[in-house]
Amino acid sequence: MRLASPRPRLLKAVAAACLLSAPLAPAATAGTPADGNDRHRAGEVITVTTARVGAPGNAPVGVVPFTDAVYADCAAAPESASGCVTVGGVDYPYEIGRLEITVAQWVAFLNTADPDGRDPFDLYDENESGETWPKYGQIEFSEDARRGRHYSPAQPQWADKPYGFADFLDAARLVNSLVNGRVLARGVHTEGAFTYVTYKVRLSPRTERGMYDLDRPDTTRTEKTGFVVPSQNEWIKAAYYDPNGGGTDSYWKYPTNPGVFGDGDATAPGPTVLNPTTGDVTNASTQPLASYRPSGGAAPSWCPAQVPPADCTDVNPFGLDPTTYADLYQGSLSTVGQARSTSPWGTLDQGGNAVEWTDTITPPPTGQDFGRVWRRLHGGVSNAAPYQMWPSAVGLQPQDNVFYRHTYPWLGIRIGVVGNVAPEGR
């Protein structure tokens, strides 16, 4: 295993965070080492399923960040030091991941993007190891493994959990790998009112250009068709906008159910209960449901059965004593999709589980960016209260926040699709 002491990197990260990070209210070079004439070579194959989102030209709503309301527009919103943000309107049909990207999918990407185990783009951090962080470490690195097999899930139970250590640049590199890869098959099916599209894709090792040009820190989409990191408006529409007019001004309060704006958490979904050694949801018959920390209650939690109980509660990469550790680190990521509560478009886990990156660039909260690019995130969190699942929970972070990536194991990815992505030759 390639395991280095996390302390030096953590100290550097803490120093950077003191200057540059904000609470979650939540230098790149061209070409990868595997670049070459064959853009498909050596890539692993993954399958991703998206939900189709229609009703182009839907009306947006106004939100005052982290407040319990939506407004027909920002003119109707009360004055606030936080201002008002218009969200949710999208003028075109698109697709968004039915589920969050899993650890198994991320491992396939790591082994494609970094087949030699040299990690030139900092896709892996020591704290992601189960040996370093028994309760939260998702992925192991083996220096002695054969080419294209250096990365693996820390335990089998992690394979179907959301990948939780992502920054935006990680998400963009995965999308570039999909865009530069080869779509082997595409299928469309319906489940009730929802339409899903399943893509089988051979990933490409080319990660620095594609949908996003990572030579540019403030990169935006370079193509009108392809896989993407969803924008904030795409994400919010898929999670909350009801084409049948439910909710308030056609927007739900939670991605799991319409709820009632203004009632606090009275109509929040129920919290998941997890199998303590597998992370599977055990109370899916209770609906609506999401993985989050209810007010006055315990966050969903599990630790792999292979880990000694004392290591689950005591061992962490920061040297925290067990009491402090238990206070700071509450909440675990649950098996994707098992909460079973769908958004108005058929997505799962947009409320709770991991918070998810969007590609929407936003001004920093202080007005000074210190040369960094800030982007929006959304999605509730398994360690957070119900308000994080509201449409007004428009979080923001630097796209490359080393501190959060090193210490916050709930940062996830959900991909999207714009335009018509079809197998080559069709």
Side-chain angles (χ1 to χ4, degrees), residues 61-71 77-78 80 82-83 240 248-249 251-254 257-268 295 386-394:
V61 286
V63 296
V64 175
F66 297 92
T67 61
D68 189 5
V70 294
Y71 304 94
S80 167
S82 301
Y240 304 103
T248 299
D249 293 323
Y251 283 79
W252 289 7
K253 183 173 178 176
Y254 302 98
N257 59 295
V260 176
F261 287 101
D263 74 351
D265 59 6
T267 52
S295 301
Y387 73 85
Q388 284 278 180
M389 296 187 287
W390 296 349
S392 63
V394 286

Side-chain angles (χ1 to χ4, degrees), residues 5-273:
S5 170
R7 294 299 181 81
R9 291 186 64 179
L10 179 59
L11 292 175
K12 292 178 183 178
V14 170
C18 291
L19 292 174
L20 302 172
S21 71
L24 185 65
T29 58
T32 69
D35 275 352
N37 294 327
D38 181 359
R39 67 190 181 99
H40 306 311
R41 69 179 183 180
E44 293 205 25
V45 175
I46 67 170
T47 299
V48 292
T49 297
T50 61
R52 280 184 173 169
V53 182
N58 67 296
V61 286
V63 296
V64 175
F66 297 92
T67 61
D68 189 5
V70 294
Y71 304 94
D73 53 44
C74 280
E79 291 188 8
S80 167
S82 301
C84 178
V85 182
T86 300
V87 297
V90 181
D91 292 335
Y92 46 86
Y94 63 98
E95 301 163 24
I96 192 168
R98 184 181 190 180
L99 301 168
E100 294 161 317
I101 291 296
T102 65
V103 169
Q105 291 169 323
W106 186 253
V107 164
F109 166 67
L110 286 177
N111 284 322
T112 297
D114 183 29
D116 296 317
R118 297 172 182 171
D119 198 14
F121 299 110
D122 292 325
L123 293 169
Y124 182 76
D125 186 274
E126 301 91 40
N127 286 5
E128 297 182 49
S129 164
E131 292 191 6
T132 300
W133 202 348
K135 184 171 182 178
Y136 291 102
Q138 299 179 321
I139 298 171
E140 300 295 358
F141 173 85
S142 175
E143 187 172 10
D144 298 328
R146 65 187 176 90
R147 191 176 191 274
R149 291 293 181 269
H150 291 285
Y151 301 92
S152 61
Q155 301 292 350
Q157 299 96 311
W158 281 113
D160 56 6
K161 305 303 183 288
Y163 175 60
F165 289 85
D167 62 21
F168 171 77
L169 301 182
D170 294 332
R173 288 186 166 103
L174 172 62
V175 163
N176 284 349
S177 179
L178 287 162
V179 167
N180 292 325
R182 183 175 185 178
V183 178
L184 303 175
R186 175 180 177 268
V188 181
H189 72 282
T190 59
E191 295 181 20
F194 308 133
T195 300
Y196 298 108
V197 184
T198 298
Y199 298 90
K200 185 178 181 181
V201 184
R202 183 175 298 282
L203 296 171
S204 169
R206 295 175 59 219
T207 63
E208 302 310 290
R209 290 195 181 97
M211 182 58 70
Y212 302 97
D213 181 354
L214 296 181
D215 281 339
R216 296 178 50 229
D218 60 347
T219 184
T220 56
R221 298 175 187 177
T222 62
E223 303 289 342
K224 294 182 179 179
T225 297
F227 296 96
V228 296
V229 180
S231 69
Q232 174 167 266
N233 285 335
E234 290 166 350
W235 198 102
I236 287 177
K237 179 176 179 176
Y240 304 103
Y241 178 74
D242 186 346
N244 297 315
T248 299
D249 293 323
S250 296
Y251 283 79
W252 289 7
K253 183 173 178 176
Y254 302 98
T256 53
N257 59 295
V260 176
F261 287 101
D263 74 351
D265 59 6
T267 52
T272 56
V273 177

